[in-house]
Amino acid sequence: MNFREIVNIGGAFESVIDWLVDNMSWFFKGISTAISALLDGTTAALNFPPWFVMAIALTALAWWVAGRGVAIFTALGFFIIWYMGLWTLTMSTLGLVIASVIIALLIGIPVGIWASKKNVVWNVVRPVLDFMQTLPAFVYLIPAVLFFRLGPVPGVVATLIFSLPPAVRLTNLGIRQVPKEIKEAARSFGSTSRQILFKAELPVALATIMAGVNQTIMLALSMVVIAGMIGAGGLGNEVLRGITQLRIDLGFEGGIAIVILAIFLDRVTQALGNIAQKKR
Amino acid sequence: MAIIEVNDLYKIFGPNPKRAIPLTKQGMTKAEILKRTGCTVAINDATFSIEKQETFVVMGLSGSGKSTFIRCLNRLIPPTQGDILVDGENVATMDAERLRELRRYKMSMVFQHFGLLPHRNVLGNVEFGLEISGMEKSQRREKAQRAIELVGLDGYEESRTSELSGGMQQRVGLARALANDPEILLMDEAFSALDPLIRTQLQDELLELQAKMHKTVVFITHDLDEALKLGDRIAILGPDGRVRQIGTPEEILSRPADEYVKAFVQNVDRTKVITAGSAGGHVPSIIYPRDGVEAAIRVMERNNYSTVFVTDASRVLKGLITIDDAVSLRKAERQGAGKENIATILHDNVYTTLATTSISDLLTAAIKTNYPIAIVDEEGVFHGAVSRAAIIAEVSKSSDNSAVPVQLREINGSDHSREDE
């Protein structure tokens, strides 16, 4: 019997997971139901209008937020996606991204605020974030599958865990960077902690927080593709099919659609961040 | 009446700060205490009171704890020990709710680097304090608008604060503080970040506003000239966080309490601080038309003056009579020219000044005229005079002796005296 068998790190992790699967299934079932509902909602909303209506709407959004150049790119890009016959898959990928990002921000921003207020919290949260970001993305897939089976729900779970860290980090950073005198000024006029947060800190930190949102979205998009391996659906499936069947054409088309979606999301969210910055 | 009373106030930063208090009482220096306990003494046993409606300036170099001090007044920094009574209520021990009320309604603060909210326009910044206290929108708009007009920012309501110059930004800070009409205004190096010209301008405006509003102002500065200009009274903080002297600008200049204060005030231009009222004083005058030429001569002879001021029955200044004119008038009278009126010899080319005018501003007039300069108030009522000699004496007192010009004869003369020995 060697040492490796006595202290078995991987084995210990496995037994923890086993225990969770055996005893906490009600918990995971609840989460699963909630995520499914959110996901169905977003995907249905994206697929409800005919493709050209949706494409026009997204182009209008790009124009309004990011200007003419991005709008032209958006119109052209979404036309190509439709032309390649990937419209529905792209929308379900976008749905996965939106659902994951909503949950990631709902968790990440409050945690970031909390961490910015209490050094203890930040000292605990930081190594967890490091762990989440450096662990290879594929590794998330295994427990996600064990807890949530196959399908889009574990895809969302793996994605939100992978994309959560920048939202926490940049919210924390943004609030910590608010000049001391602004916080003092808010306090000196008799603000409660809540008033300081909502009337001074969050608005001043908004640009930094938006940079975090942008990164979260980009990470989510990259993870959603990987999540195709566990049946999350969308463009990930297409790329995976290209790899497994050695179909270069399928893989390339799927890849192009992902790139177009990525550039659209990046430019639009960055422009939102710039608007927040300019308001200062 | 005192509105703020500070009793035995200590603020010590660091681990277990109360431990350091007995050490300060033993007379240990800041450095020794830091070495021994790891604590930094910021305020060391401060006791004083601030009167209603006065401008109280706390002056000290950086590191003297003056910013800490002003933050203790509204408890942005909680004091380590001691009481701060505002209208008899102890800020140091009041609960959070009461403290918020104090900050909302009684005390407002103006910050060195303005502390404005970059995401709000000027109006949004000025109404911030009112918004925090829960005032409804239309009412706070109106109040904010009034504060904006008070500081001369009308027309800039919709501007972003980042588009404004430093001086304008601090006006926004001042308007924000004035908007909720506090009794007490805390100003933490409010003008220190501005360039000198703008700083002077804002100082003047603060004085003007203060003449109208009569707030209690606690003003922190490291600039002695600013302290002397604005302060009704000044507290000088030493580098050890101890209050070295409290007094009016003139007291501090003419009777510095210790070597530290003395070194501090040495380089001040006294002529800018000594006023006509303090250099001059009451002088006898005669009343026209009640008094005649005999009365005028008698007053001059008794006081050994060559001139006498003439006022009307309600003491409004009419002019001045010289001894020469008075004597020749009397001679003409005695030679039978009949009762002469002193109005014929009344000089009205007399310079007048307010009591608050500084000596340096009187110097030009003192050189031009041969008469004393009359001190009157805004209504023209005569209060006294300042003689040319007094003005020149004050100016020469404040000049640096090493740079005083010396006559050539004096230099040669001293050589001769050496030969004589």
Side-chain angles (χ1 to χ4, degrees):
Chain A
M1 201 185 238
N2 63 22
F3 193 68
R4 175 91 172 69
E5 280 168 55
I6 302 167
V7 183
N8 185 342
I9 293 173
F13 183 68
E14 189 186 344
S15 57
V16 169
I17 297 291
D18 282 346
W19 185 86
L20 286 173
V21 171
D22 289 345
N23 296 288
M24 302 287 285
S25 60
W26 56 271
F27 175 71
F28 295 115
K29 210 162 251 166
I31 292 182
S32 178
T33 315
I35 292 176
S36 295
L38 178 64
L39 194 58
D40 289 348
T42 51
T43 316
L46 291 169
N47 276 322
F48 173 70
W51 78 271
F52 57 90
V53 174
M54 198 65 206
I56 289 170
L58 293 175
T59 305
L61 174 72
W63 192 311
W64 180 51
V65 178
R68 205 176 56 177
V70 179
I72 292 171
F73 170 85
T74 306
L76 211 62
F78 282 116
F79 175 76
I80 292 171
I81 288 173
W82 170 79
Y83 182 79
M84 293 188 298
L86 294 175
W87 183 260
T88 316
L89 290 178
T90 304
M91 283 306 113
S92 63
T93 293
L94 189 58
L96 280 168
V97 169
I98 290 173
S100 316
V101 168
I102 287 174
I103 301 171
L105 297 182
L106 282 179
I107 299 170
I109 291 177
V111 171
I113 291 170
W114 195 27
S116 73
K117 298 282 173 198
K118 299 243 189 303
N119 281 330
V120 182
V121 175
W122 179 230
N123 288 337
V124 172
V125 164
R126 208 167 73 167
V128 175
L129 295 181
D130 291 341
F131 183 82
M132 283 160 73
Q133 277 188 306
T134 46
L135 206 65
F138 296 97
V139 180
Y140 290 129
L141 298 179
I142 306 164
V145 168
L146 290 174
F147 293 143
F148 300 101
R149 313 289 160 79
L150 291 175
V153 172
V156 168
V157 171
T159 303
L160 89 89
I161 292 173
F162 186 68
S163 61
L164 187 65
V168 180
R169 275 183 206 280
L170 285 154
T171 302
N172 170 62
L173 179 73
I175 291 182
R176 281 177 190 261
Q177 276 178 344
V178 173
K180 186 167 160 266
E181 242 185 14
I182 290 182
K183 296 184 196 185
E184 271 191 330
R187 214 143 65 87
S188 78
F189 283 97
S191 305
T192 58
S193 318
R194 180 182 288 264
Q195 284 173 322
I196 295 176
L197 181 66
F198 285 104
K199 290 184 190 290
E201 290 175 325
L202 283 180
V204 174
L206 189 62
T208 311
I209 295 174
M210 283 308 294
V213 172
N214 172 273
Q215 285 194 27
T216 293
I217 291 175
M218 300 317 286
L219 283 182
L221 187 60
S222 68
M223 188 63 194
V224 150
V225 176
I226 294 169
M229 289 169 69
I230 53 171
L235 292 169
N237 273 11
E238 199 66 7
V239 175
L240 199 66
R241 211 142 63 90
I243 297 170
T244 48
Q245 301 175 11
L246 286 177
R247 293 270 309 270
I248 295 173
D249 54 338
L250 277 184
F252 185 73
E253 285 184 357
I256 288 284
I258 289 165
V259 169
I260 290 168
L261 193 57
I263 293 177
F264 166 76
L265 287 172
D266 179 58
R267 295 301 182 272
V268 168
T269 51
Q270 238 177 43
L272 281 174
N274 285 343
I275 290 172
Q277 179 82 46
K278 245 183 237 145
K279 275 192 154 183
R280 312 187 51 156
Chain B
M1 202 192 94
I3 186 166
I4 303 176
E5 274 180 70
V6 177
N7 294 322
D8 309 318
L9 183 73
Y10 285 90
K11 177 64 200 182
I12 290 157
F13 292 102
N16 197 0
K18 292 226 167 182
R19 205 166 42 141
I21 290 176
L23 300 180
T24 65
K25 286 186 176 151
Q26 288 166 25
M28 278 175 107
T29 67
K30 214 168 163 173
E32 281 167 349
I33 292 172
L34 180 64
K35 209 167 154 192
R36 184 102 152 246
T37 64
C39 291
T40 309
V41 182
I43 302 171
N44 189 347
D45 195 15
T47 298
F48 49 83
S49 59
I50 298 172
E51 300 298 315
K52 239 186 187 130
Q53 304 193 343
E54 80 171 333
T55 303
F56 188 85
V57 176
V58 178
M59 138 101 221
L61 297 179
S62 51
S64 59
K66 55 192 189 305
S67 281
T68 307
F69 166 72
I70 200 168
R71 281 168 175 72
C72 283
L73 293 183
N74 62 359
R75 223 170 88 189
L76 282 180
I77 295 177
T80 308
Q81 189 173 301
D83 298 331
I84 297 161
L85 303 177
V86 175
D87 273 340
E89 247 188 306
N90 196 344
V91 178
T93 56
M94 64 174 53
D95 63 41
E97 179 63 36
R98 197 75 200 89
L99 182 63
R100 270 200 299 278
E101 273 170 34
L102 177 92
R103 289 171 178 170
R104 284 177 182 178
Y105 305 114
K106 209 161 214 169
M107 276 183 171
S108 293
M109 191 157 171
V110 181
F111 292 84
Q112 180 174 9
H113 300 292
F114 324 133
L116 301 178
L117 297 165
H119 59 284
R120 291 178 174 222
N121 61 18
V122 169
L123 187 64
N125 266 288
V126 173
E127 67 179 4
F128 179 77
L130 303 168
E131 186 182 326
I132 290 298
S133 62
M135 188 181 283
E136 85 165 289
K137 195 160 185 171
S138 62
Q139 206 181 346
R140 72 178 191 237
R141 278 277 138 97
E142 193 183 309
K143 283 203 164 193
Q145 191 62 42
R146 235 178 298 153
I148 285 171
E149 279 158 27
L150 209 55
V151 299
L153 273 179
D154 14 351
Y156 290 94
E157 290 87 350
E158 303 300 322
S159 304
R160 299 232 148 258
T161 54
S162 54
E163 293 162 5
L164 301 177
S165 66
M168 300 279 256
Q169 290 193 32
Q170 193 56 300
R171 274 170 222 257
V172 178
L174 190 58
R176 177 175 64 179
L178 291 174
N180 43 358
D181 198 24
E183 264 182 89
I184 302 166
L185 209 54
L186 306 177
M187 304 184 75
D188 179 27
E189 300 229 27
F191 304 148
S192 301
L194 307 174
D195 62 63
L197 218 66
I198 304 292
R199 192 184 312 159
T200 314
Q201 199 183 340
L202 277 174
Q203 288 165 353
D204 292 340
E205 278 174 36
L206 179 66
L207 287 171
E208 256 169 60
L209 279 175
Q210 182 59 356
K212 265 187 278 177
M213 300 184 309
H214 307 295
K215 303 275 181 205
T216 305
V217 179
V218 183
F219 195 101
I220 303 287
T221 182
H222 63 256
D223 177 357
L224 187 59
D225 287 325
E226 186 168 69
L228 295 169
K229 179 172 177 181
L230 297 177
D232 293 322
R233 286 190 306 145
I234 300 171
I236 297 205
L237 286 182
D240 50 359
R242 226 176 244 284
V243 178
R244 294 305 185 94
Q245 186 173 7
I246 298 175
T248 63
E250 290 194 40
E251 279 166 10
I252 296 220
L253 285 181
S254 45
R255 294 189 296 278
D258 61 14
E259 285 306 310
Y260 181 77
V261 179
K262 204 173 194 170
F264 224 104
V265 301
Q266 223 159 33
N267 297 322
V268 172
D269 188 354
R270 280 171 56 91
T271 60
K272 292 227 164 70
V273 182
I274 306 290
T275 58
S278 63
H282 176 75
V283 292
S285 56
I286 60 167
I287 294 171
Y288 172 85
R290 191 194 70 188
D291 300 326
V293 67
E294 290 295 342
I297 290 171
R298 200 172 56 243
V299 168
M300 284 187 268
E301 277 175 351
R302 185 179 306 151
N303 295 292
N304 206 10
Y305 288 155
S306 57
T307 56
V308 66
F309 286 97
V310 181
T311 69
D312 68 11
S314 50
R315 293 202 52 81
V316 173
L317 184 68
K318 306 294 283 182
L320 166 145
I321 294 174
T322 67
I323 187 82
D324 299 345
D325 290 345
V327 168
S328 44
L329 184 70
R330 183 169 64 178
K331 199 182 277 174
E333 221 177 274
R334 288 196 179 148
Q335 281 166 1
K339 188 111 179 130
E340 284 286 344
N341 193 330
I342 58 170
T344 55
I345 56 168
L346 200 61
H347 294 269
D348 60 357
N349 58 342
V350 182
Y351 283 92
T352 60
T353 178
L354 296 173
T356 50
T357 308
S358 66
I359 290 294
S360 66
D361 293 335
L362 294 177
L363 197 54
T364 356
I367 290 164
K368 276 191 209 152
T369 181
N370 290 319
Y371 309 132
I373 296 173
I375 299 169
V376 295
D377 62 18
E378 278 90 348
E379 278 80 45
V381 173
F382 180 71
H383 286 282
V386 51
S387 69
R388 298 173 62 228
I391 293 170
I392 291 163
E394 282 298 342
V395 172
S396 65
K397 237 192 258 176
S398 57
S399 69
D400 187 351
N401 287 330
S402 62
V404 169
V406 177
Q407 275 191 350
L408 182 62
R409 193 170 49 183
E410 281 177 37
I411 302 169
N412 295 338
S414 65
D415 283 343
H416 285 304
S417 62
R418 207 175 292 153
E419 280 170 11
D420 290 344
E421 277 169 12

